[in-house]
Amino acid sequence: MKVRKAVIIAAGWGTRFLPMTRTQPKEMLPLVDKPLIQYAVEEAINSGIEQIIMVTAIAKRAIEDYFEPSFELENFLQKKGQTRLLKKMRELSNMADITYIRQKEQLGLGHAVLTARGLVGNEPFAVILPDDIIDARKPALKQLIEVFEPRQGSILAVERVAPADLNKYGIIKAGRISGGVARVLGLVEKPEPAQAPSDLGVVGRYILTPAIFDAIAQTPPGRNEEIQLTDAIALLLADESVYAHLFKGIRYDTGFPLGLLKANVSMALKNPDMRTELREYLKTVLKNETI
Ligand code: UTP
């Protein structure tokens, strides 16, 4: 079957960004010149996804408004003759077919995925965590879909993780890696380094078969008392083959202030309109710092 739907998970509280996230969804924080959520939507579209399901929560209205047309603003820009901006605003609201659903209680990532069950139905689907920004020539999700197509089994995006960071990720036990793909033999959520079965950490892109929903429904709360997607995938392994893909690209964890700042600097240095001035500015800052 083809992967037609992507579920973008944006219901977490974003406590690491408090106090900003009291009134502002973390997914609306800026990365260079766009909010984080727009990168997730664009990656889905550029990967051939036809329908986007966004799992949100209370205090996330700004996300829904962002992708809606604003006729008042469009009229204003038209009157002012700001045609380039007007075109940009129209492209934004026509960008994708997005359906929203709310996770009523923040019971964990696994629970957030389960919230989308009715909208996904009985077909394989993609999951995107918008905190993980992946800068790649071929969109990371598209890479995963290409790995899924001949195998028709769940695919997890993985990357190598430094020893000190193993306890921040779901870590897989992997079979032999061939062409960047390995069978997943087991997985553990946020292990202590000594208990980690490998250095391959799961990052925020997945292709999942619909069997994951029953697995999540059977998953008890795990780490932090949350229903963990990793634990549900570990259950799924008993019935289905699951694969890991070492995708090509640079991933930025924008889920905490310093990570977002680093992503901003790196991505802005790639932006032709900003690169030269930013480089000069950074040099000056570093020079003054050492004085
Ligand atoms: P995080 O672990 O980053 O949690 O969630 P968070 O609440 O977003 O942020 P912090 O840790 O409090 O700062 C990983 C992903 O799972 C989603 C988040 O939106 C993020 O995409 N999530 C987490 C939910 O949608 N619902 C939940 O109940 C928990």
Side-chain angles (χ1 to χ4, degrees):
M1 275 178 102
K2 209 170 159 278
V3 180
R4 301 185 305 128
K5 299 180 182 179
V7 181
I8 299 181
I9 306 285
W13 285 113
T15 53
R16 286 169 292 171
F17 278 110
L18 281 170
M20 275 183 283
T21 41
R22 273 173 75 92
T23 51
Q24 144 107 339
K26 70 171 172 181
E27 296 78 10
M28 291 303 296
L29 293 172
L31 178 53
V32 186
D33 55 358
K34 291 182 287 198
L36 291 168
I37 195 74
Q38 190 169 338
Y39 290 83
V41 169
E42 287 175 355
E43 184 178 327
I45 296 165
N46 294 334
S47 302
I49 292 295
E50 294 162 18
Q51 194 193 336
I52 292 173
I53 297 153
M54 191 109 54
V55 181
T56 68
I58 195 159
K60 301 271 186 172
R61 270 298 300 272
I63 299 178
E64 296 177 37
D65 290 347
Y66 184 74
F67 292 102
E68 283 294 303
S70 164
F71 298 112
E72 291 87 349
L73 175 64
E74 286 179 20
N75 270 336
F76 174 80
L77 294 174
Q78 192 142 34
K79 273 195 205 133
K80 291 254 172 187
Q82 304 244 42
T83 42
R84 262 189 55 201
L85 258 183
L86 179 63
K87 188 166 164 269
K88 218 169 161 182
M89 292 306 102
R90 289 199 172 136
E91 278 167 6
L92 184 62
S93 49
N94 291 325
M95 189 171 273
D97 171 11
I98 308 179
T99 309
Y100 298 90
I101 185 151
R102 285 193 174 204
Q103 184 188 20
K104 301 225 162 53
E105 257 186 294
Q106 273 92 334
L107 298 178
L109 171 59
H111 180 261
V113 172
L114 187 59
T115 308
R117 183 176 201 163
L119 292 168
V120 170
N122 195 26
E123 58 182 286
F125 62 104
V127 171
I128 300 181
L129 307 188
D131 280 2
D132 277 336
I133 294 287
I134 302 180
D135 183 24
R137 203 173 286 180
K138 183 188 283 184
L141 191 62
K142 191 168 187 175
Q143 297 178 40
L144 258 62
I145 291 173
E146 287 176 3
V147 173
F148 169 81
E149 270 165 1
R151 294 175 180 81
Q152 299 288 310
S154 295
I155 316 288
L156 318 179
V158 296
E159 69 175 21
R160 297 209 182 269
V161 171
D165 292 332
L166 288 165
N167 60 3
K168 297 183 188 141
Y169 294 85
I171 303 292
I172 65 163
K173 180 173 183 206
R176 198 173 60 84
I177 303 174
S178 163
V181 181
R183 282 280 290 274
V184 176
L185 305 176
L187 70 172
V188 199
E189 180 64 19
K190 302 189 170 73
E192 286 314 315
Q195 268 82 53
S198 75
D199 65 346
L200 295 172
V202 178
V203 306
R205 302 289 181 281
Y206 309 76
I207 307 293
L208 297 171
T209 61
I212 193 68
F213 293 125
D214 279 342
I216 299 172
Q218 288 164 30
T219 301
R223 236 189 136 89
N224 299 333
E225 291 305 303
E226 291 186 345
I227 297 173
Q228 299 287 352
L229 182 60
T230 309
D231 294 344
I233 296 170
L235 275 186
L236 187 66
L237 274 177
D239 301 322
E240 289 188 2
S241 297
V242 175
Y243 304 86
H245 179 45
L246 271 153
F247 61 94
K248 292 200 172 71
I250 301 174
R251 182 188 66 99
Y252 298 100
D253 179 358
T254 64
F256 63 107
L258 183 58
L260 179 61
L261 187 61
K262 285 181 182 173
N264 264 297
V265 173
S266 300
M267 300 281 278
L269 284 172
K270 287 187 69 180
N271 184 311
D273 296 337
M274 299 182 183
R275 185 190 302 149
T276 315
E277 208 177 318
L278 181 60
R279 277 176 68 104
E280 288 312 310
Y281 174 70
L282 291 174
K283 275 189 211 157
T284 320
V285 171
L286 289 173
K287 209 169 102 203
N288 291 344
E289 200 194 36
T290 54
I291 289 171

